[in-house]
Amino acid sequence: MSAIVKKIPNKLKNRHEIYSFLEDHMAKTYEKIRQEGEYEFGKNLLKTYIIESNYKDPFHFLDSLNGKAIIKWNKIDKDSFLIDYKKSDLEVNFFIDTINPRFWLLHTISPARDTDTVIGKFVQPMISHLDHLWMDRLMLQDIKLEHGDYTKSIGIQYRYGDVFPSSDFGDSFSLRANGAPSDILIKIFSQYPELAGIFAISSVGFKKIFNSDVNENELKLLIEDVYYQGKFTVKGTSIYEHIDTVSDILRKYENLVKIIESEYNMEYTKAEGGFTIKGSPLCIDFKKRIENLDVFVKTVFSAKEPFRLSGFHSKLDSGTYLISCLDLHNGDDLRLELTEDWVRIYLPHDACGNTTMRFLCNLQRYYDANASLEGINSGRIR
Amino acid sequence: MVELGDHTKLMNIMIGLCYKVPKWPNPFLQKNYVISKIELKIHQSNPDIIITNKKKNHSIIFECKSSDNLKESQMAKYDKIRNNPILLIQSGKVPITHKDQFIVDPVYSSFKDLSKNELISKYNMLCIYVKKGINCKIDSLILTRGVFRNTHVNKIFPIDTSKDEPPYRLYPFDENDKELFTIEILNQLQKFAYKQQSFKIPQLLEGCHSLWKFIDDNKKFERKANGILHDLQRSKLKGYLSQDKVSGEWSVIIKPNVRSFQAFQKKCKQVIKELDFKSYQDTLENQD
């Protein structure tokens, strides 16, 4: 027998009612965990996904799902709607908030395995006009430091062996730690160079208390798990504090994306007596030297997952590789120069800042967790 | 190994000195020089790059020489411009503030030290020697002959580049860099297919070559691109590439899924690998 599908009821008429329902759900799951150490079977945690959208109108997104799944939707207000998604045995629903037209928030209490799958179905297809967030290792560490009073968990996924030719099982590494030792683990991984190179953080969990001067029953708190692709799972007492946390993280991410687009997208424009070049190339520095550039290039620019960069390369007599490629996630065309120690990226004038973040995140996850992004105007960016 | 022409390399090296690029110095930019023009059309000279410091009323003409085969007529023209810089202003090529105080210094830059060349001596030209080190890396740029009349510029030499790598994508190729030209075209074909857009050659070139629209003599690129497209349509990309006979617009059809793009990429890689540059060059030259 399949688990009971939990959903946000369609009878809810406005944001306030939906948030009240979600807060109630959050509080109940938290209370159950607090009292019994685990949450109730079938009672799923509240999850929020952030998705980058290139749709001018969110209803075009709903139209795009026609014929792929059974979709029912209710407009809640001019910027939000509830959707029920059904395909075969997948049945989930989301409250979609598009108040930020570029970055949508999708809240759900449906089972995580199913919602992860459906989000993948939304984002993964070519020309989907949607993308995940791509939070790199430093950003996740910063989130934990800025928002958490206590570290609750840490996830590491270094997957070199999944992508690059390798005969050694040790070339991939994953770890998920819950509880107080998470902080100690972070220190250990940062201190040892052998571990730092595989320290590709995939998630951080933290606890945040808003009123520590009251007794335990009146505590207002959040326990958030933040995943690098913009997924949040939350337990706690206040939906508004959760939304504030998500919004703050999103604001910083959006600023970063905008800095990339405004300062590093390259545009050649006519000017008095000639032309000017706005923007400048970005550079990703590797701490792990690329020993075989040929294999690296053939792997990364093969159009395959996870990079999905379809590229053509040529090698100069100095050993530098020149690469021209198309990002099959969104159709951005990039020009790169690759050496053993760094890759210089020339972004076109209309490139999406998320493209650079995706490339950096994937390089950290699949090649060098220490890879860092630099720009001549800003120094180290990530 | 790609045979990126020395001229293209030198163009990038010199443009890079005036522009913000990580891992490459920009001493001319630091002295407030900006690029005014590239590949100018001026009778008998056609300078490659002109950079200008407007406040100092000073322009530098970079002539990028891939060989030591120097033309006297060109040098004489540069000498004439140096002695009468108003010629450059009259042609509308540079913005300056005081035309009476305007100074122009022409410089020959090359991978060879041209300082002992007879013509260079005769016309008293400045020379920048782009010195290669081991593994064909650029070791340094040395002013081997002459002085700039904005004396601040002389202080930037020699420029140590031994730990740096020139940017090669600012001026991605010239019309003779067949392999890179073709690669850029193939990449743009993917892009047009992805966006499901048809295109004309100027649109294709805008995507292929960031500076194309600023090159005075850019028709030569159009002719070459046209030749490459027809060649691809006839042979390796038959079935993918088509041209509307009425509008002249080109289109590329690839199904919108990763597997189809992988198949297209494979086909294109075959094009690059199997390209017979000798006969290809002949085909292209016939377009001129």
Side-chain angles (χ1 to χ4, degrees):
Chain A
M1 193 178 134
S2 63
I4 303 158
V5 174
K6 293 292 173 190
K7 52 182 277 187
I8 303 167
N10 287 321
K11 63 180 184 192
L12 302 177
K13 294 283 182 274
N14 56 47
R15 264 174 204 266
H16 178 70
E17 285 182 14
I18 290 171
Y19 286 161
S20 295
F21 170 83
L22 293 175
E23 183 165 276
D24 191 43
H25 181 87
M26 257 174 84
K28 280 180 186 160
T29 49
Y30 168 65
E31 197 53 32
K32 196 81 181 167
I33 293 167
R34 199 168 70 90
Q35 287 174 3
E36 297 173 22
E38 59 182 23
Y39 57 86
E40 196 180 339
F41 176 73
K43 193 91 179 173
N44 306 298
L45 295 178
L46 170 63
K47 294 163 285 296
T48 300
Y49 296 84
I50 306 178
I51 285 181
E52 190 211 25
S53 160
N54 288 300
Y55 280 104
K56 284 186 182 141
D57 182 340
F59 293 101
H60 294 164
F61 159 65
L62 297 175
D63 288 344
S64 77
L65 298 174
N66 278 336
K68 295 178 192 161
I70 300 167
I71 301 293
K72 286 183 190 164
W73 57 273
N74 284 342
K75 190 173 176 180
I76 301 297
D77 56 36
K78 70 179 178 61
D79 297 312
S80 66
F81 43 94
L82 261 176
I83 73 162
D84 287 355
Y85 176 103
K86 189 174 181 339
K87 186 177 186 183
S88 309
D89 54 350
L90 268 181
E91 200 172 341
V92 297
N93 88 337
F94 296 97
F95 170 57
I96 304 185
D97 181 349
T98 66
I99 203 159
N100 178 337
R102 181 166 181 185
F103 291 98
W104 299 349
L105 305 184
L106 287 80
H107 305 286
T108 181
I109 56 165
S110 299
R113 199 175 55 183
D114 294 346
T115 53
D116 286 353
T117 305
V118 172
I119 292 289
K121 284 180 185 292
F122 289 166
V123 174
Q124 285 294 323
M126 198 182 275
I127 322 178
S128 72
H129 306 292
L130 299 174
D131 198 0
H132 298 288
L133 247 58
W134 297 89
M135 293 188 278
D136 74 306
R137 165 179 142 173
L138 275 186
M139 193 177 286
L140 288 170
Q141 279 183 286
D142 288 348
I143 287 169
K144 180 187 74 68
L145 288 173
E146 281 174 35
H147 294 278
D149 296 319
Y150 306 97
T151 304
K152 292 290 288 181
S153 67
I154 181 91
I156 301 169
Q157 279 183 1
Y158 177 71
R159 299 171 61 184
Y160 175 90
D162 293 5
V163 171
F164 289 92
S166 165
S167 55
D168 186 350
F169 288 115
D171 283 343
S172 289
F173 175 82
S174 66
L175 178 147
R176 169 90 190 170
N178 287 302
S182 304
D183 255 341
I184 301 167
L185 269 174
I186 292 172
K187 279 182 195 151
I188 293 171
F189 268 88
S190 307
Q191 278 167 0
Y192 287 87
E194 300 91 333
L195 296 176
I198 60 168
F199 188 34
I201 301 179
S202 55
S203 68
V204 288
F206 56 84
K207 184 174 179 179
K208 187 177 183 178
I209 297 173
F210 300 96
N211 56 343
S212 53
D213 53 345
V214 297
N215 71 46
E216 202 185 341
N217 289 334
E218 292 169 0
L219 272 181
K220 275 192 161 187
L221 56 83
L222 286 181
I223 300 170
E224 294 265 8
D225 279 297
V226 184
Y227 297 81
Y228 77 103
Q229 285 184 310
K231 175 186 167 186
F232 299 70
T233 60
V234 60
K235 306 176 269 285
T237 57
S238 168
I239 182 75
Y240 293 100
E241 295 295 357
H242 166 62
I243 289 171
D244 272 1
T245 304
V246 171
S247 302
D248 190 60
I249 291 167
L250 174 57
R251 186 173 48 77
K252 290 195 172 93
Y253 185 84
E254 193 172 6
N255 281 345
L256 176 63
V257 164
K258 284 181 178 167
I259 286 171
I260 293 172
E261 290 167 353
S262 62
E263 294 189 25
Y264 298 99
N265 281 4
M266 294 178 63
E267 186 163 19
Y268 297 69
T269 48
K270 277 193 178 173
E272 186 193 15
F275 66 93
T276 57
I277 310 175
K278 187 174 162 286
S280 65
L282 283 163
C283 192
I284 294 177
D285 275 314
F286 301 115
K287 302 289 177 293
K288 175 180 170 181
R289 178 167 266 226
I290 302 171
E291 283 175 10
N292 190 331
L293 280 169
D294 202 47
V295 169
F296 184 90
V297 166
K298 282 176 181 161
T299 305
V300 172
F301 301 98
S302 62
K304 291 180 188 159
E305 295 287 352
F307 293 97
R308 261 214 255 175
L309 295 166
S310 176
F312 307 110
H313 67 269
S314 42
K315 187 181 174 186
L316 295 176
D317 50 8
S318 61
T320 299
Y321 276 70
L322 305 181
I323 301 141
S324 297
C325 65
L326 186 77
D327 185 336
L328 297 180
H329 291 90
N330 60 5
D332 280 347
D333 60 325
L334 311 175
R335 289 199 183 94
L336 306 109
E337 289 154 346
L338 177 74
T339 70
E340 293 157 332
D341 300 308
W342 49 259
V343 56
R344 209 156 41 197
I345 309 164
Y346 296 70
L347 298 165
H349 70 96
D350 55 354
C352 175
N354 228 15
T355 301
T356 303
M357 290 308 294
R358 187 190 319 107
F359 190 41
L360 174 67
C361 274
N362 280 330
L363 286 172
Q364 288 183 345
R365 194 151 311 282
Y366 294 94
Y367 184 69
D368 176 11
N370 278 323
S372 59
L373 179 67
E374 288 174 22
I376 208 156
N377 296 331
S378 328
R380 180 163 182 168
I381 298 170
R382 295 307 325 154
Chain B
M1 196 84 74
V2 64
E3 290 171 23
L4 183 61
D6 279 354
H7 178 258
T8 305
K9 283 183 182 168
L10 288 165
M11 290 288 286
N12 278 293
I13 287 167
M14 303 317 288
I15 293 172
L17 297 175
C18 317
Y19 183 60
K20 287 179 187 173
V21 181
K23 320 285 184 197
W24 186 246
N26 53 18
F28 283 101
L29 181 67
Q30 287 175 24
K31 298 285 177 198
N32 299 314
Y33 283 83
V34 295
I35 301 159
S36 297
K37 287 275 174 189
I38 58 160
E39 297 211 335
L40 272 69
K41 253 182 163 175
I42 298 178
H43 182 57
Q44 284 188 335
S45 58
N46 296 353
D48 288 318
I49 305 161
I50 299 184
I51 65 170
T52 302
N53 179 328
K54 210 172 159 184
K55 274 193 181 164
K56 297 277 180 190
N57 288 299
H58 185 226
S59 284
I60 300 170
I61 293 176
F62 289 125
E63 180 60 33
C64 299
K65 277 291 161 206
S66 54
S67 70
D68 50 8
N69 180 21
L70 307 180
K71 289 181 188 154
E72 183 158 11
S73 57
Q74 186 186 47
M75 217 176 286
K77 180 79 180 182
Y78 286 152
D79 191 39
K80 208 170 163 184
I81 291 172
R82 178 166 54 188
N83 294 326
N84 187 13
I86 202 91
L87 291 171
L88 213 54
I89 303 167
Q90 281 168 340
S91 64
K93 304 299 181 189
V94 289
I96 49 101
T97 41
H98 300 289
K99 63 178 180 182
D100 297 339
Q101 294 156 21
F102 183 47
I103 301 167
V104 177
D105 283 323
V107 190
Y108 279 74
S109 60
S110 172
F111 289 117
K112 290 180 181 169
D113 182 6
L114 300 174
S115 60
K116 302 282 187 293
N117 181 284
E118 265 181 44
L119 284 173
I120 291 280
S121 301
K122 181 180 170 186
Y123 287 93
N124 196 24
M125 288 287 150
L126 283 78
C127 292
I128 293 174
Y129 170 37
V130 182
K131 191 180 169 195
K132 285 186 183 176
I134 48 168
N135 297 334
C136 298
K137 302 264 185 204
I138 310 300
D139 201 44
S140 57
L141 279 80
I142 307 161
L143 182 65
T144 52
R145 192 177 199 289
V147 286
F148 289 95
R149 282 177 287 169
N150 173 6
T151 50
H152 296 291
V153 177
N154 297 308
K155 292 176 192 159
I156 68 178
F157 292 96
I159 304 167
D160 179 10
T161 57
S162 55
K163 293 192 175 87
D164 304 310
E165 182 70 15
Y168 286 120
R169 318 313 305 262
L170 295 171
Y171 181 89
F173 53 86
D174 72 16
E175 76 279 13
N176 298 313
D177 294 312
K178 297 163 293 290
E179 188 176 346
L180 280 174
F181 201 158
T182 307
I183 283 175
E184 290 300 333
I185 285 180
L186 293 172
N187 196 40
Q188 288 305 308
L189 292 183
Q190 291 192 106
K191 185 172 181 176
F192 283 115
Y194 187 97
K195 306 254 173 189
Q196 299 175 337
Q197 290 171 347
S198 52
F199 62 91
K200 287 193 170 175
I201 289 189
Q203 285 170 280
L204 175 79
L205 285 170
E206 269 192 42
C208 287
H209 198 306
S210 21
L211 290 173
W212 173 77
K213 60 183 170 183
F214 302 104
I215 296 172
D216 261 10
D217 184 14
N218 62 17
K219 290 285 173 201
K220 59 189 177 185
F221 286 88
E222 285 191 35
R223 289 191 295 271
K224 299 267 175 174
N226 191 47
I228 292 172
L229 283 179
H230 277 106
D231 190 57
L232 291 171
Q233 184 196 18
R234 273 194 304 268
S235 54
K236 306 286 190 301
L237 295 186
K238 201 173 181 179
Y240 281 106
L241 192 57
S242 61
Q243 188 182 24
D244 185 280
K245 281 178 186 163
V246 181
S247 66
E249 287 197 339
W250 292 85
S251 39
V252 199
I253 307 295
I254 307 171
K255 283 184 187 164
N257 60 60
V258 172
R259 196 171 288 179
S260 299
F261 273 81
Q262 283 172 339
F264 181 74
Q265 190 198 38
K266 209 171 166 185
K267 202 90 181 164
C268 292
K269 284 186 173 168
Q270 223 175 326
V271 172
I272 298 164
K273 199 174 170 185
E274 291 175 12
L275 223 49
D276 176 351
F277 282 113
K278 175 76 181 72
S279 61
Y280 197 60
Q281 187 175 10
D282 295 341
T283 312
L284 297 179
E285 278 165 4
N286 289 336
Q287 304 294 323
D288 287 341

